[in-house]
Amino acid sequence: MGRIKTSRKTRESLGFILPGLFFLLAIDLFPLLYSLGISLYSWWLARPRDIRFIGLDNYQALLTDPAFYRATVNSLVFMLGAVPLEFLAGLGMALLFSGRLAGAQVLKTLILLPLFITPVVSSMMWRLILHPDLGVLNYYLTLFGLGRPLWLGTPGLAMASVILLDAWRTIPFMFLVMHAGMEALPREPYEAAAVDGATPFQAFWYVTLPLLKYIMLLTVLIRLMDAFREFDSIFVLTGGGPGTATETIQLLNYRVFGLGHMGLANALSILTLCFVAGMCYALMRLMARRSW
Amino acid sequence: MKGSLRNWTIALVAILLWVFASPAGAGTTKSINLAMLAGFKEDVLRAFLPAFEERTGIKVNLDTAPYGDLYKKQLLSLAGGAGRYDVLFIDEPWVPTLAEFLRPLDDLAKQVDPSDFVPTTLAAGSYKGKIYALPVDPNVQILVYRKDLFDQRGLKPPGTWAELLAIAKQLHDPSKDFAGFVMTAGSDVQTFAYLTLFLWSWGVELLDANNRAAVNTPAGKAAAEFYLELLKYSPPGVKGYTFADVTKTMQLGKAAMAVQWASGAKPMEDKEKSVVAGKLGYATVPKQARQTPIRGVWTIGVAKDSKNPDAAWEFAKWLASREFGLLAVKYPSTSSAIHNARYSVLKSPTFTGTLPYAEAILTSLEVAKERNRIPQFPDIQEQLRLTGAKITTGELSPADGLKELEASINRIMAK
Amino acid sequence: MKAGPIREGLKYLCVGTILVWTLFPIYWLVTASVKSEIVLYGTPPAWWFRPVLESYARVLFNIPFSSYFLNSLIVAGATTVGSVILGSLAAYGFSRFTFWWSEGLRFFILLTRMIPRVALVMPYFLMMLSLGLLDTHAGLILAYISFALPFSIWLMIGFFDEVPVELEDAAMVDGCSRLMALLRVTLPLAAPGLVVAAIFAFLVSWNEFLFALILSGIRSKTLPVVIAGFNTDIGPLYSDMSAAATLVMIPNIVMTVLIQKHVVRGLTFGAVRG
């Protein structure tokens, strides 16, 4: 791809970049610095006159709290369970739709439906379906002699349920992005591959995959970030339970925030930010040969 | 083509003006903003608001939030000094925390015949000897049981927890999908309520006179072990249950007994939702060392920084009045119940005639125990929920759980 | 071509599985809106039942649903337009020009998306309070554009990178300005990406809960907060909640179909003509 590298061009490019950049700076910079600042204070909303600077004490309190590590592990398990699953399923579906398919337009719209349901509602719906004693799923499982699993009441299963719900909500998004990526691909490389007698798998491996690399990496990155911060759906489905089996770092953060401990909540957020940023940066370095 | 472009431009400008020009603060003197609970109780309130507005000329703007988020929103808005609300619908454990931002109502309360309120409910809106909010809708834990089954078998409602356990054992029948007792036992908020009820019943106090945690005692252990014992006679999925599941299990006739907040009773008596409507009996919760149903009163308070304190008070007064109470009890809501804190309503034929559990509410309210009146209580309550969840799911033994609880409470109190 | 029918069969089997997996919860949701509570929880699960439509009446008339709906529409619409415009411009800048610090800048943009929302809500609240934008559509729109923008930018970079520069150059030789070339030539070719960016921005603003809860209020409350209110402290009002969710889903379907059909076609058509 031809790129233009002169200072005059830099100025021209800034004309395009600046509006968006300025917007992000104006909206996000203050909150970020504010959050960073607050994380150094002891501030409980219920005691508005008792706000003290305490340095790194909040961070120390978090880093010595087993609940913090437990939540981090839960977040990682959730993220690493959900994102690869969603990515592969989304990619598979996009491939399925890249060929000829009867009624593809209608099917696409149907598949996108989960995206349009507020996370709170989809979680409530899944609660209903997964209800151990009154749910439709367990009714049929019992009917076929498969027992009556406590989907949300057993630690491992609860995490699996949370991951499955997230997959249900997010696979359509993965599909949407990768499908769009495939639609925008140029036709010529495929024609060339066909002339060379490539099998569909070879065409996928040597043509689609390299061309789609950027889009795929981007979706995975975005999903990793979002999964690490996922809140609504887990909160409603399990509330972090049973016990603390699905309490992710965001749930912990929301609890601390909800009780009005601003310093601690912000310290937790800053730690999360560092963790996610580090992870994404490493991943980008690792996966991208060319410069970003 | 040109014309349509112009029309679009005009429309766009109009929309932008509308979007950006909406005023920042509510203007007129006769308008107040109310922070209200969404869904439950909302329909009842909305039904009678027009009459209030017409009578007083005060416009009430409703800002509703779901239960789990209302406290956060109130705390943030009040602490942020947004001047956003004039009146606030407040659950009683929040009163000590929010009192800082509320207007003391002691003098004004004299206008509303305070002696008519059940004394414990008036205490719910008070903090450090001052009244900050008036009781509107008292809630209290009650025992619900299948009167029809009890009559069949010649059983009496249990007076002690040991009796309750024995009856639960007797009626528990997993082969018929029928449980002896239903409650919550997982990470649901209500787990706090059951753990606290047992601890209190066994004579344990959460804090001693010096505000130190005092739960890790033999009595505390016995209470936690009773919780685990009772779980054996609960539905199989109880570890994922919520408040609603307890109600639902009773409604579908799948359990013999439950301890539930009184607010869950009305749906159990709704024939559209409940197959056991009319077959239920209600009583005060059983006792062990003492009888201690938890009290939870919804109250109405006036913000200190309200720009219309008079109108705000006028509204609070109306919401806590006998007239509104009688209207609310009769309102045929499909989803809500607003009970009342006034003797004159609780003992009125309207109340006793409409609600089969009227007597249980009144007797329970009179003995109800309040949660510690300290701003730290929401934190402690959260810890009780967590520890309760850990004990019931077997993550911690009762002894270890109580040890953790004690340490956490002391840490919270030390802050 | 022996494998043909088997492969075809397998393909449609996959499609069928995907549809069941995706649509069953939605079917359950839509039917929940017309089931009475006894039917909803009944065992065995009811597949045939007499529908009750009262939930729709309650949702539409007991609360000011239409004004909440309008709030959501305004906020989501403005967010979509705003983030797509700002995002495409910035992405174009990044895609067509590199300078020594553009890499860092791009990472910074992504970084703004990594901040946990819980951390942002308090400073946003104070910011909107001091700007007088608390409880306004504008306040929410500003917040949501900042949520959607980083992804829009990064996504559009990917799509612009695939459009050959030569096409633009040719257009500019013909006398187009760079902006015109972007609009006439590049954007239509990147249309699939634009659609995704638009749908993404719409979804972010349509479904967001926490900021809507704290920032919005009497005048600007959006649907997620309203719908969450059906999960009351005495339990979820499933029929009302499902009725609201179903009502909300319909315009979304219409919008997706419209965006896919008209925007894509319109842009592609424009490209051919230009």
Side-chain angles (χ1 to χ4, degrees), chain B residues 368-389:
Chain B
K369 185 168 164 60
E370 66 181 14
R371 285 162 268 183
N372 305 60
R373 306 294 285 179
I374 45 175
Q376 290 92 336
F377 201 82
D379 284 66
I380 294 181
Q381 180 164 320
E382 184 57 31
Q383 201 55 51
L384 281 160
R385 175 189 77 84
L386 262 180
T387 305

Side-chain angles (χ1 to χ4, degrees), chain B residues 114-122 135-140 142 262-263 295 297 320-330 337-368:
Chain B
S115 62
D116 189 29
F117 291 113
V118 179
T120 55
T121 64
L122 204 57
V136 175
D137 180 25
N139 215 351
V140 62
I142 53 176
S263 57
R295 183 192 74 198
V297 182
S321 71
R322 182 168 181 269
E323 296 73 55
F324 176 76
L326 288 171
L327 288 173
V329 170
K330 271 191 293 187
I338 296 188
H339 299 129
N340 205 278
R342 287 177 176 276
Y343 280 115
S344 60
V345 178
L346 288 166
K347 290 183 172 167
S348 72
T350 317
F351 196 79
T352 52
T354 317
L355 308 170
Y357 50 89
E359 197 192 324
I361 287 195
L362 182 55
T363 52
S364 297
L365 271 181
E366 281 176 329
V367 297

Side-chain angles (χ1 to χ4, degrees), chain B residues 42 46 62 64, chain C residues 58-71 218 221 223 226:
Chain B
E42 185 186 347
R46 280 193 195 273
L62 233 61
T64 57
Chain C
R58 280 199 300 271
V59 168
L60 287 172
F61 305 119
N62 282 15
I63 55 172
F65 189 79
S66 54
S67 69
Y68 296 143
F69 191 89
L70 196 64
N71 288 339
I218 292 153
K221 181 163 295 156
L223 289 165
V226 177

Side-chain angles (χ1 to χ4, degrees), chain A residues 18-153:
Chain A
L18 273 182
L21 189 67
F22 183 75
F23 187 91
L24 283 178
L25 281 177
I27 297 285
D28 279 338
L29 200 63
F30 163 71
L32 182 59
L33 295 177
Y34 182 91
S35 174
L36 199 63
I38 291 302
S39 73
L40 303 175
Y41 283 81
S42 161
W43 177 17
W44 185 25
L45 282 183
R47 293 251 175 82
R49 276 180 297 277
D50 180 25
I51 304 175
R52 279 171 295 128
F53 182 81
I54 53 165
L56 293 174
D57 283 7
N58 285 325
Y59 291 93
Q60 201 202 347
L62 284 171
L63 292 172
T64 52
D65 187 353
F68 170 73
Y69 292 100
R70 207 184 156 134
T72 309
V73 170
N74 283 340
S75 286
L76 283 173
V77 170
F78 172 72
M79 185 178 82
L80 296 176
V83 178
L85 175 73
E86 291 159 7
F87 171 70
L88 290 176
L91 181 63
M93 278 161 67
L95 282 172
L96 200 62
F97 275 79
S98 69
R100 276 194 159 280
L101 210 59
Q105 202 60 43
V106 178
L107 286 178
K108 259 194 286 184
T109 309
L110 287 177
I111 284 175
L112 294 186
L113 281 184
L115 291 174
F116 300 124
I117 298 172
T118 312
V120 177
V121 176
S122 43
S123 293
M124 292 305 301
M125 241 28 241
W126 276 71
R127 264 200 88 91
L128 191 64
I129 292 168
L130 296 177
H131 195 292
D133 303 322
L134 307 169
V136 55
L137 182 61
N138 272 8
Y139 176 80
Y140 286 107
L141 287 182
T142 321
L143 210 62
F144 294 117
L146 294 169
R148 205 197 238 185
L150 307 179
W151 294 103
L152 307 174

Side-chain angles (χ1 to χ4, degrees), chain B residues 183-206:
Chain B
M183 54 186 164
T184 74
S187 47
D188 187 67
V189 201
Q190 292 302 324
T191 301
F192 125 78
Y194 291 99
L195 181 60
T196 307
L197 175 63
F198 295 134
L199 287 173
W200 279 355
S201 295
W202 262 255
V204 179
E205 287 293 339
L206 299 174

